[in-house]
Amino acid sequence: MNKETKNNYNLFFSKIYDFIFFPFLHPIRKKIAAEVKNNNPQNLIDMCCGTANQIKYLKKSVNTNIVGIDISDNMLSVASKKTKTNICLKQDASNTNFPDNFFDVAILSFILHETQPEIAYKISNEAKRIVKNSGKIYLTDYVFDKKTNFLGKAGTYFVEFLVGGQHYKNFKTYIKNNLLKNYTTDLQFVSESKYIFGAIRVFTFINNKN
Ligand SMILES: C[S@@+](CC[C@H](N)C(=O)[O-])C[C@H]1O[C@@H](n2cnc3c(N)ncnc32)[C@H](O)[C@@H]1O
């Protein structure tokens, strides 16, 4: 388990996370819940689920078996208050204990920009391993390109700067090297939605293992 991410979220930040990010995250949570509902999967994993905020939206709209995993005790303690059953487990998303092809769907939101690239590679590869062939991967993260306007970029830099430390360094490396492309090259693109002046994208991919 890598120490950098394990200790990144203190209890205070974990407790206010949903509140401060609600205006930005609400439409994204709704979008992903609607996509999952259309897809009607049997089982789903939210990798790096944080406070289980996305899981809360999913629980309202689908009957899918859901599991969340996260590495942070503080985020998980907030998550456990939100979910009646213990569906959020402490696991390292770069090395989970689920078998190959176990899930129909994986959700990966706001994780790949914040870890060191080698960990992000492992997490994305782990998602591809545990999701079935032709299963879906919903990936949400920052993208800066021609469709991102100045306000989106400035706002994102500001938020990530406030979070600071290694997290901010990892974010800058991710943006500078356009790393999301590297993590998703072997996935089949289905769709992309833009949020926050184009700075945040929700992607649907098919896990094409052939
Ligand atoms: C920015 S938060 C996003 C949380 C959630 N996905 C959301 O959309 O709100 C990133 C989360 O990833 C978790 N995390 C970071 N590295 C991880 C790892 N290797 N395994 C599991 N969780 C990890 C952190 O503890 C944190 O809860």
Side-chain angles (χ1 to χ4, degrees):
M1 194 174 285
N2 83 75
K3 277 189 194 144
E4 175 201 317
T5 44
K6 186 180 171 196
N7 301 322
N8 219 1
Y9 288 85
N10 69 39
L11 189 57
F12 177 69
F13 183 70
S14 303
K15 282 184 174 167
I16 61 169
Y17 181 91
D18 290 340
F19 178 72
I20 49 177
F21 294 119
F22 175 82
F24 312 105
L25 295 183
H26 177 66
I28 294 170
R29 305 301 195 206
K30 277 191 3 191
K31 165 78 180 165
I32 292 174
E35 291 277 342
V36 172
K37 192 175 179 186
N38 280 342
N39 194 32
N40 197 21
Q42 279 192 336
N43 63 4
L44 169 156
I45 182 165
D46 187 350
M47 299 173 78
C48 311
C49 63
T51 61
N53 187 246
Q54 180 66 66
I55 291 177
K56 198 174 133 192
Y57 283 69
L58 289 169
K59 282 275 168 199
K60 282 185 195 153
S61 59
V62 295
N63 278 326
T64 303
N65 294 318
I66 298 173
V67 62
I69 60 169
D70 203 279
I71 212 169
S72 157
D73 291 324
N74 293 327
M75 293 297 253
L76 285 169
S77 79
V78 177
S80 69
K81 294 194 179 100
K82 210 171 290 160
T83 53
K84 285 186 191 131
T85 46
N86 192 16
I87 57 174
C88 293
L89 311 171
K90 182 164 182 171
Q91 277 199 40
D92 183 347
S94 65
N95 182 23
T96 73
N97 62 14
F98 297 105
D100 294 358
N101 308 316
F102 191 73
F103 294 99
D104 299 305
V105 167
I107 293 173
L108 276 171
S109 299
F110 300 106
I111 175 63
L112 299 178
H113 75 273
E114 74 160 49
T115 57
Q116 290 168 346
E118 55 274 24
I119 307 284
Y121 265 117
K122 285 188 184 167
I123 292 175
S124 58
N125 284 337
E126 190 65 357
K128 294 166 200 168
R129 182 185 73 77
I130 62 179
V131 170
K132 293 170 187 167
N133 185 31
S134 301
K136 293 262 171 69
I137 297 181
Y138 298 110
L139 202 159
T140 304
D141 222 312
Y142 300 122
V143 175
F144 286 6
D145 61 13
K146 280 183 278 180
K147 293 179 250 171
T148 317
N149 81 14
F150 171 76
L151 282 177
K153 289 182 185 172
T156 303
Y157 264 96
F158 180 64
V159 169
E160 293 298 314
F161 172 77
L162 289 182
V163 178
Q166 189 60 43
H167 184 130
Y168 183 51
K169 283 187 192 151
N170 293 340
F171 160 75
K172 285 191 292 184
T173 305
Y174 165 93
I175 290 295
K176 187 174 161 215
N177 300 296
N178 193 13
L179 288 179
L180 192 67
K181 273 220 167 75
N182 300 4
Y183 306 139
T184 56
T185 39
D186 44 359
L187 292 171
Q188 186 183 327
F189 174 83
V190 178
S191 64
E192 172 190 18
S193 306
K194 298 196 293 288
Y195 295 87
I196 317 294
F197 305 106
I200 296 176
R201 308 287 165 85
V202 177
F203 294 98
T204 302
F205 290 107
I206 293 177
N207 194 27
N208 198 338
K209 296 192 179 191
N210 301 319

